[in-house]
Amino acid sequence: EHRALDLAELALLAVHRGDAQADEHLREASRVLAEHPGGTLEPLTRDVVAWAKATPQVDPGGFGRAAALDVVEAAVRLGDHDTVRTWIAELTSFAAATGSEWALAVAEHARALTADDRDAEEHFTAALAHHAHSPRRVDRARTALAFGEHLRRARRRVDARVHLRAALATFEDVGAAPWADRARQELRASGESARRRDGSPATALTPQELQVARLVAEGLPNREVAARLFVSPRTVEFHLRNVFAK
C-alpha cells in the first residue's frame, strides 16, 4: 500500500511539472490498489489519485484539503457548484478552528470563481490578502493567475498583466511548466509577449533528473534513490551523469 501511495504522489508531482510519466505512475498506482485493496492508506491513496486526475472526488476533510484549489477548479469547470459550496464551508470551518490564512484564501478563491463578475474582484483581492500571510506560494500564484484571467476577460489588460507576471515568475521558479505555459498564454492574450526564462542549471533539468538530484543531495545512496523512484540503479547513474554535465 505504501508503494501505491508513492506512485500516486509521483503522478501528482509529474502532473504539476508537465511530465509525461504521470499517466504511467497513475496506471501503476491503480494496479497496485486493485491487487492490494483495503490497506490503511487506501483512502489517502485514492484521494491522491483523484487529485492527480483533476477530479472533484476528493474527501474535503483531512489531507484532502491540500487538493482544494484543484478540486474547486475542476468542479467549476463541470458546473458542479454544490461541490464548490461544500468545499467553501469545509475550508471556512477549518480556518475558524485553526486560524489558517491559506484556507481562507482558497475559500475566497472559490467564491470568486462562482461569483458574478462585479463581485469576483472583491473575492480575488481578499484571497490574495490572505495568501500574503501564507507560505504556500504556488497557491498564491494560482490565485494571481485566475485573477489575471478574470481581469483580462473584462478587458482590463493592464491590471491583468500585474497578476499574470507575478504568477508566471513563481511557476517558472518552481518548475510548474503547465501553469507557466498557461500564464504566458494569458499574457500574450493581454497584448504582452512573455519569453521563457533563460534556464539556470536547475530549470534545465528534466523532472526525473531533478528528482534524482534532490534525493542525492539529501545524502541518499544511488540504490535507495532507485528504490524511491522505482527505477534501476543504472538509470539513476544515467540521470546523474546528465545532471553533472548540465
Side-chain angles (χ1 to χ4, degrees):
E1 61 189 66
H2 287 282
R3 183 163 182 260
L5 179 58
D6 289 343
L7 286 163
E9 289 175 338
L10 284 172
L12 182 62
L13 177 63
V15 166
H16 284 98
R17 289 190 172 278
D19 187 342
Q21 285 187 307
D23 289 341
E24 178 183 343
H25 291 320
L26 280 172
R27 284 193 298 271
E28 184 64 10
S30 298
R31 184 188 67 77
V32 174
L33 274 175
E35 293 177 357
H36 306 281
T40 57
L41 294 178
E42 181 181 353
L44 173 57
T45 303
R46 292 194 183 281
D47 276 347
V48 177
V49 168
W51 184 3
K53 290 181 176 179
T55 69
Q57 282 75 46
V58 177
D59 183 352
F63 173 83
R65 294 188 197 97
L69 266 179
D70 287 306
V71 173
V72 164
E73 291 196 343
V76 169
R77 286 195 299 272
L78 294 171
D80 183 2
H81 287 195
D82 286 342
T83 293
V84 177
R85 284 190 287 269
T86 296
W87 278 79
I88 290 174
E90 167 62 28
L91 291 165
T92 302
S93 175
F94 177 73
T98 63
S100 169
E101 291 285 346
W102 168 82
L104 289 173
V106 177
E108 289 293 348
H109 183 127
R111 291 186 181 101
L113 294 179
T114 53
D116 294 336
D117 286 345
R118 64 179 180 275
D119 296 327
E121 182 172 356
E122 178 182 349
H123 292 300
F124 276 129
T125 300
L128 289 175
H130 289 301
H131 275 309
H133 301 286
S134 167
R136 301 191 185 195
R137 55 197 294 250
V138 174
D139 286 346
R140 182 167 65 247
R142 294 274 300 276
T143 296
L145 173 60
F147 192 11
E149 290 172 335
H150 167 77
L151 292 170
R152 200 270 303 168
R153 289 193 299 268
R155 300 182 183 276
R156 294 172 55 186
R157 296 182 177 183
V158 174
D159 293 333
R161 289 170 194 155
V162 174
H163 298 292
L164 294 173
R165 288 189 205 109
L168 176 59
T170 297
F171 295 142
E172 288 186 327
D173 193 38
V174 301
W179 293 109
D181 288 342
R182 180 169 156 182
R184 285 190 204 94
Q185 183 177 350
E186 282 295 321
L187 274 170
R188 285 194 295 271
S190 77
E192 177 176 306
S193 297
R195 292 185 300 176
R196 293 180 182 272
R197 179 189 294 180
D198 291 337
S200 67
T203 58
L205 302 181
T206 68
Q208 191 85 4
E209 289 166 355
L210 191 58
Q211 285 180 305
V212 169
R214 284 176 172 165
L215 291 173
V216 170
E218 291 176 9
L220 298 180
N222 288 3
R223 186 170 296 279
E224 188 169 346
V225 173
R228 290 270 191 102
L229 300 181
F230 306 104
V231 297
S232 69
R234 181 170 295 182
T235 298
V236 171
E237 293 170 4
F238 171 78
H239 286 311
L240 278 177
R241 286 197 297 272
N242 289 338
V243 169
F244 293 141
K246 291 179 180 181

